[in-house]
Amino acid sequence: MTDLLPADRLDALRARVHDLMPQVRADLEALTRIPSVSLDAFDQAHVEASAEATAALLRAEGLDVEIVREGGRPAVIGHRDGPPGSRTVTLYAHHDVQPPGDDALWDSPPFEPTERGGRLYGRGAADDKAGVMAHVAALRAHGEDLPVGVTVFVEGEEEIGSDSLPTILERHGEKLRADAIVLADSGNWDIGEPALTTTLRGMVRAVVTVRTLDHGVHSGMFGGAVPDALMVLVRLLASLHDDEGNVAVAGLKEGVASDLDYDEARLRRESGLLDGVEVVGSGSLLTRMWTKPSITTIGIDAPSIERSSNTLVPQARAKVSMRIAPDEFDLDAFELLKEHLLAQVPWGAQVEVELEERGAGFAADADGPVYDQARAAFADAWGTPPVDIGVGGSIPFVAAFAEQFPEAAILVTGVEDPDARAHGANESLHLGEFEKVCVAEAVLLARLGALPD
Ligand SMILES: [Zn+2]
């Protein structure tokens, strides 16, 4: 399909993006200086400011821009028509960021973008203000000659769960409808190795409450005959995995991840696993992390050690976070978890399992003409074709788009690499890779513009 884009046109686009990078970077730094943390506890004036700054960047590229609010943080929607009859592409990113966390853990201030060793450090420098700027760079690269109709949608509350996104999609969905939707909030497989994210696990969070007594009683007097709530709770939690560490809840779906090189040494290094601690589960490591379910107890309400006394605890609670296979329906997964737990209850204890939150996974239909052009565009930018990767975590908005626009090709791309540390201290963007991301997106627009019906 390389015939769609003549070599001289490709070279010209590459050169154009290269020339644009100093200004793209300056604009990225300006966006990164705005501490647009969307969490309630932070000053939301900064999120307003980042929406305004994003809107200004899009207006400068000739888009009709509006800032929309549907009960949540401000989102920016901009549109420019392509040539008559051309395809349409929607480009997504988000302008809000995670809190910086402890400033002391940063080697340079989180909201003062700083370059070290070819990387730009700062909160949002990668996630996802570089996603915003990749879209702007692709528009700039085409200037007046935009080959497709483009809608840019920059959300303002991705980091707090995109609560008003369903309403935005309901009220403004027609503006976002397109032949291809590029969601630039993920990353590549490694430096020099581009990727398309084709699967995301879904998520279920549940709270398990155990009661055995109507009040706490002396553990010396009654212990041995009367079960306490923690005794029951730890058995329930232990039942969630088999001896190998695989999830033991029957009936959950599992898939197989793509066959990429990822060894135990890399996993140990990236996760910080302590010497002597074994990895758990079975199947390839990527299958375990991308396409099989996992269950983690993320919180327990029980007396702290400091406040503990010789008492049989009457009630205890645990919050359980479950990741589910990309094609598993989240409510089904919750019901299976609940059934499993209730079937394991020892000694007639009273147990309740409540659903706290759920999010659908995503499995792309990663074939067809748009995907072909995306793979070709990535190969043009990197000199090597992209691999298909999964993400073990969940990005709820991806499923929301897939559900709303079933006919669109959904491409999950992004600027992150394994060292990006999105959400952590010292978040950073690899500047060399960032230029390739911008080239790939500019080339993708050109290719989709040239693609015959
Ligand atoms: Zn993000």
Side-chain angles (χ1 to χ4, degrees):
M1 296 292 262
T2 39
D3 55 327
L4 271 188
L5 193 70
D8 58 340
R9 177 101 195 278
L10 173 60
D11 288 343
L13 267 178
R14 265 203 207 103
R16 173 96 181 111
V17 171
H18 185 73
D19 291 344
L20 288 169
M21 288 318 285
Q23 187 59 47
V24 168
R25 175 172 162 181
D27 292 332
L28 172 60
E29 292 189 11
L31 280 183
T32 306
R33 285 196 182 89
I34 305 171
S36 52
V37 181
S38 49
L39 250 74
D40 275 331
F42 290 76
D43 183 354
Q44 292 308 302
H46 299 305
V47 179
E48 295 293 332
S50 66
E52 292 293 347
T54 301
L57 286 165
L58 297 177
R59 264 185 214 113
E61 299 314 313
L63 277 68
D64 282 328
V65 179
E66 60 183 323
I67 294 179
V68 303
R69 290 176 186 77
E70 294 297 348
R73 310 293 185 237
V76 184
I77 299 177
H79 177 81
R80 210 173 111 193
D81 284 335
S86 61
R87 281 192 166 68
T88 51
V89 180
T90 288
L91 306 172
Y92 168 96
H94 61 88
H95 66 86
D96 65 319
V97 298
Q98 283 280 325
D102 184 355
D103 275 18
L105 296 174
W106 287 76
D107 295 330
S108 51
F111 297 108
E112 270 174 40
T114 306
E115 183 180 347
R116 289 191 298 278
R119 306 188 68 98
L120 185 68
Y121 287 82
R123 170 61 80 234
D127 181 14
D128 189 24
K129 286 169 172 169
V132 176
M133 286 314 303
H135 301 330
V136 173
L139 291 166
R140 280 182 192 166
H142 290 285
E144 291 301 306
D145 304 314
L146 200 56
V148 287
V150 171
T151 300
V152 180
F153 173 50
V154 183
E155 197 192 353
E157 56 182 23
E158 196 278 335
E159 300 295 7
I160 52 169
S162 305
D163 283 348
S164 70
L165 182 64
T167 313
I168 291 175
L169 289 179
E170 194 185 303
R171 302 208 178 141
H172 307 271
E174 278 317 302
K175 300 171 200 164
L176 305 178
R177 185 175 298 284
D179 299 303
I181 300 180
V182 178
L183 305 167
D185 194 24
S186 183
N188 289 304
W189 179 233
D190 210 340
I191 304 297
E193 292 186 65
L196 287 163
T197 300
T198 55
T199 64
L200 300 163
R201 286 196 290 192
M203 182 267 288
V204 167
R205 217 158 49 214
V207 173
V208 186
T209 304
V210 175
R211 293 185 194 88
T212 57
L213 295 155
D214 64 9
H215 62 285
V217 293
H218 196 300
S219 60
M221 309 243 321
F222 295 100
V226 170
D228 65 87
L230 269 173
M231 190 176 169
V232 172
L233 182 64
V234 294
R235 277 178 177 250
L236 290 181
L237 297 177
S239 78
L240 293 171
H241 300 90
D242 67 16
D243 289 344
E244 248 184 309
N246 291 299
V247 167
V249 175
L252 288 173
K253 290 186 182 178
E254 43 186 75
V256 177
S258 45
D259 189 18
L260 292 168
D261 206 19
Y262 188 87
D263 62 16
E264 188 177 323
R266 181 167 166 190
L267 173 65
R268 300 191 80 89
R269 192 172 64 247
E270 289 180 357
S271 66
L273 198 58
L274 296 176
D275 284 345
V277 180
E278 296 167 22
V279 298
V280 295
S282 60
S284 83
L285 292 173
L286 295 179
T287 290
R288 290 178 228 183
M289 294 188 288
W290 291 352
T291 54
K292 283 179 70 170
S294 69
I295 297 182
T296 313
T297 299
I298 57 171
I300 293 185
D301 278 355
S304 66
I305 291 175
E306 207 177 321
R307 290 166 171 256
S308 59
S309 61
N310 290 327
T311 305
L312 295 178
V313 175
Q315 173 179 315
R317 305 198 309 156
K319 190 178 282 190
V320 170
S321 164
M322 177 162 71
R323 301 289 166 167
I324 57 176
D327 59 345
E328 176 93 83
F329 180 49
D330 46 18
L331 273 182
D332 288 349
F334 169 70
E335 287 304 326
L336 290 166
L337 173 70
K338 185 174 169 180
E339 267 171 44
H340 171 96
L341 287 166
L342 295 180
Q344 307 293 322
V345 176
W347 312 307
Q350 296 177 6
V351 174
E352 261 178 80
V353 183
E354 287 160 295
L355 179 62
E356 188 192 66
E357 199 170 338
R358 64 191 175 106
F362 170 70
D365 185 6
D367 287 308
V370 171
Y371 259 85
D372 288 344
Q373 293 312 315
R375 293 185 201 284
F378 277 50
D380 290 338
W382 272 271
T384 181
V387 294
D388 287 357
I389 60 171
V391 168
S394 316
I395 313 181
F397 74 77
V398 176
F401 275 91
E403 197 180 324
Q404 175 99 6
F405 307 112
E407 71 294 346
I410 298 204
L411 298 158
V412 182
T413 67
V415 302
E416 290 169 29
D417 66 273
D419 288 325
R421 303 197 187 179
H423 298 201
N426 296 315
E427 173 182 347
S428 70
L429 173 72
H430 187 289
L431 291 162
E433 291 294 290
F434 179 51
E435 181 171 334
K436 294 191 170 82
V437 169
C438 296
V439 170
E441 199 166 300
V443 172
L444 174 63
L445 298 185
R447 285 182 164 279
L448 293 178
L451 185 65
D453 283 334

